[in-house]
Amino acid sequence: DAKTTQPPSMDCAEGRAANLPCNHSTISGNEYVYWYRQIHSQGPQYIIHGLKNNETNEMASLIITEDRKSSTLILPHATLRDTAVYYCIVKESYNTDKLIFGTGTRLQVFP
Amino acid sequence: NAGVTQTPKFQVLKTGQSMTLQCAQDMNHEYMSWYRQDPGMGLRLIHYSVGAGITDQGEVPNGYNVSRSTTEDFPLRLLSAAPSQTSVYFCASKTSGTYEQYFGPGTRLTVT
């Protein structure tokens, strides 16, 4: 699985969009990009995943560059409850089970 | 559905003691796994199972045993606890072929 690089921390004002970047320059053609988050000390929570096209669900949007070497998770209207550690994970499409977590980005949403 | 449940929530052990962390899911998921999370770190995979009777090692399996006799349960055994096993332990499950993993609330273990 390709390695990912994320900034260790970011701040965002409540109500503004939070844009969390992830670099995965060694990603191969059949690897998916997943995002999970961990609020305080709870178990991680799945957010979204994508392969090539941009994806959107009720929680967030995922923008993947055309060369697939990086992606951005967008929380369109951040709230205080979005304060969490966000993990970007790259996985082979045939093996979606074993997640390898890095240290993630700690997002702090402030009033 | 209760989802993924873990017991106990907190546990303190002395070095050398043994114990079993319990994990259960009621979603009929084939895949189950155990992770540990040390302070300031991401989660690391200990053991996983793709179905009843089948288990395999993850990144950090030493000092831990698992078994999977039913689809619902996936206990993690510490045979002889060491201070290095002080951590928060998370259990997760998913349906094979899908993308979303469901995590339990965690067990906070301290070994003195």
Side-chain angles (χ1 to χ4, degrees), chain A residues 32 34 36 38 41-46 49 87 93 96-103 106, chain B residues 31 35 37 40-43 45 48 50 59 90 94 97-101 103-105 108:
Chain A
Y32 281 80
Y34 294 81
Y36 280 73
Q38 188 174 24
S41 299
Q42 299 175 21
Q45 176 190 24
Y46 166 84
H49 76 277
Y87 297 98
S93 60
T96 61
D97 297 337
K98 293 189 289 181
L99 297 177
I100 306 298
F101 288 80
T103 51
R106 182 172 297 276
Chain B
Y31 179 83
Y35 291 84
Q37 186 173 31
M41 306 284 287
L43 282 73
L45 182 64
Y48 66 97
V50 298
E59 301 174 81
F90 291 101
K94 70 185 283 290
T98 63
Y99 300 99
E100 180 176 357
Q101 291 210 27
F103 284 80
R108 193 173 297 272

Side-chain angles (χ1 to χ4, degrees), chain A residues 52-56 61-65 70-74:
Chain A
K52 296 180 184 176
N53 301 321
N54 297 338
E55 303 287 344
T56 295
S61 295
L62 174 61
I63 308 298
I64 303 175
T65 58
S70 65
S71 60
T72 300
L73 179 75
I74 300 173

Side-chain angles (χ1 to χ4, degrees), chain B residues 9-60:
Chain B
K9 286 187 168 48
F10 301 93
Q11 183 70 49
V12 179
L13 290 178
K14 294 189 187 308
T15 297
Q17 287 184 318
S18 63
M19 80 158 295
T20 299
L21 308 185
Q22 301 293 343
C23 174
Q25 51 88 14
D26 60 359
M27 298 173 282
N28 202 32
H29 286 169
E30 300 91 345
Y31 179 83
M32 296 185 74
S33 57
W34 277 101
Y35 291 84
R36 63 176 286 174
Q37 186 173 31
D38 299 329
M41 306 284 287
L43 282 73
R44 291 184 293 169
L45 182 64
I46 304 172
H47 285 286
Y48 66 97
S49 169
V50 298
I54 306 170
T55 64
D56 206 345
Q57 297 180 348
E59 301 174 81
V60 288

